[in-house]
Amino acid sequence: DTAVSQTPKYLVTQMGNDKSIKCEQNLGHDTMYWYKQDSKKFLKIMFSYNNKELIINETVPNRFSPKSPDKAHLNLHINSLELGDSAVYFCASSQTTYGYTFGSGTRLTVV
Amino acid sequence: ELKVEQNPLFLSMQEGKNYTIYCNYSTTSDRLYWYRQDPGKSLESLFVLLSNGAVKQEGRLMASLDTKARLSTLHITAAVHDLSATYFCAVGHIESFGAGTRLTVKP
């Protein structure tokens, strides 16, 4: 059983398109996150949700919108994709200060 | 804003040698994490350090935390090729990651 699963694993799309990445965790964790890892491997938090409420919203373009239908899911929707959005996006979840668990990542390529 | 600095960013070492990766952070934090990432893979949790003076060891890796100095170290003992990966430290509620240390262990 995968603890934090993301779909799709790979996503290639054209500029201007809208796409979504889905994330589900079966760990019963209360907090979920989205991170972006760029080509230089820098990891930056984008969003954090705790019990379906947004608690961190770093400075990301408003083309990115997280949606959490329940505490086990945190999806990321991206409008009007740009070349600079190409990166690997990781979902993660946590319950306390222990055990942050990351998903396998979604490699987004915008052409 | 919490800043996290790792050094070195690139480390090439021979098997059997010892080395230390450093992680400095800019403001007080009560928790620090070390992760490993293999190429094209996700992040694997290595250590969670929650108190000043905490030391944890797993195999050839040992992590320590000095909250007064705002410094954590990841010490590698007698490196083997399987340890080749990128190692990240993260501070706070993992909002802030270091840039990562790309470790290559050569025969």
Side-chain angles (χ1 to χ4, degrees):
Chain A
D1 267 354
T2 303
V4 180
S5 60
Q6 292 179 229
T7 55
K9 191 171 175 64
Y10 300 96
L11 183 54
V12 180
T13 187
Q14 289 188 323
M15 284 176 58
N17 284 351
D18 303 339
K19 291 293 179 185
S20 292
I21 307 172
K22 295 185 177 181
C23 179
E24 176 181 4
Q25 53 98 0
N26 62 7
L27 299 168
H29 288 172
D30 284 335
T31 308
M32 296 183 72
Y33 311 82
W34 277 109
Y35 287 84
K36 178 180 180 180
Q37 187 173 43
D38 64 21
S39 58
K40 295 184 178 179
K41 304 295 185 186
F42 290 116
L43 269 161
K44 186 172 173 60
I45 190 165
M46 301 174 70
F47 301 104
S48 172
Y49 263 77
N50 181 268
N51 266 327
K52 298 199 300 175
E53 291 188 30
L54 181 66
I55 56 174
I56 296 176
N57 181 4
E58 294 297 308
T59 307
V60 298
N62 57 15
R63 298 181 294 104
F64 291 79
S65 53
K67 294 281 193 304
S68 182
D70 55 62
K71 76 172 193 177
H73 296 83
L74 181 63
N75 304 323
L76 183 65
H77 188 75
I78 316 168
N79 289 326
S80 303
L81 278 155
E82 300 176 358
L83 292 176
D85 297 332
S86 296
V88 181
Y89 293 83
F90 286 99
C91 176
S93 73
S94 72
Q95 178 64 25
T96 62
T97 56
Y98 304 92
Y100 287 83
T101 304
F102 283 81
S104 58
T106 296
R107 183 174 295 276
L108 172 64
T109 304
V110 183
V111 298
Chain B
E1 181 188 345
L2 177 59
K3 294 188 188 298
V4 183
E5 292 186 356
Q6 278 182 245
N7 69 83
L9 297 182
F10 297 91
L11 177 55
S12 180
M13 54 191 299
Q14 285 190 311
E15 281 191 328
K17 298 292 187 183
N18 304 332
Y19 209 85
T20 300
I21 300 170
Y22 297 89
C23 175
N24 290 90
Y25 52 99
S26 60
T27 60
T28 302
S29 177
D30 59 355
R31 63 203 70 178
L32 187 137
Y33 308 86
W34 283 97
Y35 286 86
R36 168 182 172 144
Q37 186 179 35
D38 292 297
K41 302 293 185 182
S42 185
L43 284 85
E44 173 192 355
S45 178
L46 294 174
F47 302 107
V48 180
L49 303 169
L50 297 175
S51 61
N52 187 42
V55 177
K56 291 194 175 180
Q57 183 162 7
E58 180 73 34
R60 300 174 187 274
L61 300 177
M62 183 173 70
S64 65
L65 178 61
D66 181 343
T67 58
K68 294 179 182 177
R70 297 176 190 162
L71 170 68
S72 179
T73 61
L74 181 67
H75 187 73
I76 303 156
T77 302
V80 293
H81 179 69
D82 284 351
L83 289 179
S84 298
T86 299
Y87 293 85
F88 292 93
C89 64
V91 182
H93 296 273
I94 61 168
E95 294 106 40
S96 298
F97 274 80
T101 297
R102 296 192 195 187
L103 171 64
T104 303
V105 181
K106 298 180 178 179

